Amino acid sequence: MNAPLYSQLPSHPVDLRSDTVTRPTPAMYERMLEAPIGDDGLDGDPSVAELEQDVAARLGKECGLFMPSCTMANLVAVLAQSNRGEQVVLEGTSHMYTSERGAATFTNLFYVGVPGQDGAMDLNRLADSVQSGGHKLPTALIAMETTHNNAGGTVLPLDHMQAVHAMGQERGIAVHLDGARLFNAAAALGLPPAEITRHTDTVSLCLSKGLSAPVGAVLAGPRSVLDRARTLRRMLGGTQRQSGLMAAAALEGVRTMGDRLSEDHVRARRLSDGINALGGPIRATSPQTNIVQIEVGATKMSNKEWVAALEAAGLRTRPWANTRLRCVTHRHTTDADIDAAVAAFRQVLASI
Ligand SMILES: *Cc1c(COP(=O)(O)O)cnc(C)c1O
């Protein structure tokens, strides 16, 4: 096995579909080769245990739990903190609400979407939604998301998070943070992740996005909740065996990859500036982190046609919502890639 070979992406086409395309680093492969492993479904896996403890400590929580995906981590966080017939209240464009509907169908709970701005829920609407009585159900959980994927990688202000957490605490409602890209939020704020996760009871962290691990997520929070979560993970089939191999790569990711994420943020800004400097009918959002959305609704092409045309010009993107594209910068994105991406937009614009 030649580890560095698999640690790179092909340089062409430039792939900005997602930060999930990141490959494990050579150091991750080395750690995987040397990682002590066991059976996490039998009597434990030492590398998984090390990852769970490391992430919990990093996020200022009592316990961590290695999960196969962030989707399952969010589902387990909900199930571990709710009873049938209750509701989950969350921002109306959040990933858990819009993209984890399938998971929601397994919960026997009602999900209430609250309108927000840049991913932050309107606090009056939130306060209204968590009142019980009448048609309203008891609220089991309030969930936040930072960075906020659909809002374009925006970072929740800490005073907003504090206000939401306080509202939960006053009413005895647990608060969960979908922190799939938590480390990007921490990089943008220039703070350790624990300064963000102070304002939540439980948090999920995706390992396979900017942190570059091959798979997985960690759910962290209080021991009482995590004990239930461990049982639920087994019920869902999420208990894995020699998963220390994956945990070892993830451990390298959480220890070393957070500090470099601000490079991705600089390149996202460079992409946005480059696209906006082209003029014409398309407009890029101003990124706070590594996600740029490009509005193409004023052109004669649909966003799916844009994706195909850009791909032919050497750039991979994804259609987003009705009239947008999404580009995400990551460890394999170079300055030259950004220039090539802007050139691809210029080429498609010139052809229409
Ligand atoms: C990607 C993502 C998830 C799901 O992560 P998976 O590990 O792919 O299941 C959850 N929430 C947000 C905000 C995400 O961006």
Side-chain angles (χ1 to χ4, degrees):
M1 181 180 66
N2 187 339
L5 187 66
Y6 298 109
S7 294
Q8 290 304 319
L9 276 185
S11 58
H12 187 87
V14 173
D15 195 345
L16 299 183
R17 288 173 301 164
S18 179
D19 42 9
T20 57
V21 301
T22 45
R23 299 288 172 84
T25 65
M28 288 179 186
Y29 279 102
E30 275 166 35
R31 256 187 199 274
M32 289 168 77
L33 284 171
E34 289 161 13
I37 53 172
D39 183 330
D40 203 35
L42 201 56
D43 53 2
D45 178 296
S47 295
V48 169
E50 190 182 357
L51 173 71
E52 291 174 346
Q53 281 155 23
D54 182 288
V55 172
R58 224 169 262 283
L59 305 187
K61 302 298 174 201
E62 234 180 327
C63 289
L65 185 63
F66 186 43
M67 303 292 298
S69 69
C70 200
T71 301
M72 196 187 281
N74 287 332
L75 173 60
V76 164
V78 169
L79 293 173
Q81 299 179 92
S82 62
N83 296 298
R84 185 187 177 109
E86 294 180 332
Q87 61 182 25
V88 176
V89 180
L90 66 187
E91 198 275 330
T93 64
S94 63
H95 197 277
M96 285 175 68
Y97 190 65
T98 62
S99 304
E100 296 171 31
R101 297 176 204 203
T105 64
F106 294 118
T107 63
N108 286 313
L109 302 165
F110 188 79
Y111 280 45
V112 180
V114 173
Q117 182 73 44
D118 296 331
M121 289 177 278
D122 179 311
L123 292 176
N124 284 322
R125 301 290 290 269
L126 174 61
D128 179 49
S129 296
V130 299
Q131 283 173 30
S132 51
H135 293 294
K136 291 177 175 134
L137 303 168
T139 300
L141 191 72
I142 301 170
M144 294 186 273
E145 178 178 321
T146 198
T147 68
H148 196 290
N149 189 353
N150 274 318
T154 50
V155 179
L156 291 181
L158 289 186
D159 58 352
H160 172 79
M161 294 189 66
Q162 185 175 22
V164 171
H165 196 208
M167 199 185 290
Q169 284 176 326
E170 277 162 29
R171 292 165 173 77
I173 300 168
V175 174
H176 175 68
L177 177 65
D178 177 354
R181 292 192 181 82
L182 172 70
F183 279 43
N184 292 88
L189 292 169
L191 292 171
E195 288 299 313
I196 300 173
T197 52
R198 294 169 44 186
H199 305 299
T200 186
D201 300 310
T202 54
V203 52
S204 54
L205 170 70
C206 188
L207 303 163
S208 65
K209 291 184 173 165
L211 298 182
S212 298
V215 293
V218 172
L219 175 65
R223 182 170 304 279
S224 55
V225 177
L226 269 285
D227 284 349
R228 277 192 81 183
R230 197 170 279 278
T231 304
L232 286 158
R233 185 185 67 171
R234 186 181 290 278
M235 290 168 71
L236 290 169
T239 298
Q240 302 176 101
R241 301 299 182 174
Q242 281 100 48
S243 40
L245 284 177
M246 297 299 122
L251 198 53
E252 178 69 21
V254 294
R255 287 186 179 160
T256 65
M257 291 288 119
D259 284 344
R260 61 153 307 287
L261 293 176
S262 50
E263 290 175 33
D264 300 342
H265 302 175
V266 170
R267 292 202 174 91
R269 167 68 62 167
R270 185 180 161 120
L271 175 68
S272 163
D273 289 347
I275 291 170
N276 286 333
L278 295 174
I282 64 172
R283 199 79 212 149
T285 55
S286 284
Q288 294 178 21
T289 56
N290 66 330
I291 299 176
V292 180
Q293 293 180 357
I294 300 99
E295 175 61 53
V296 298
T299 67
K300 291 191 179 61
M301 280 159 62
S302 72
N303 58 357
K304 292 189 182 65
E305 289 167 331
W306 264 96
V307 168
L310 287 167
E311 173 116 24
L315 173 65
R316 307 189 83 180
T317 61
R318 281 175 73 190
W320 212 253
N322 244 348
T323 58
R324 290 188 169 207
L325 306 173
R326 189 187 75 160
C327 293
V328 184
T329 56
H330 50 75
R331 195 179 102 243
H332 305 294
T333 314
T334 62
D335 288 340
D337 289 341
I338 298 297
D339 294 343
V342 173
F345 274 97
R346 183 187 295 113
Q347 187 183 322
V348 175
L349 272 177
S351 73
I352 58 178

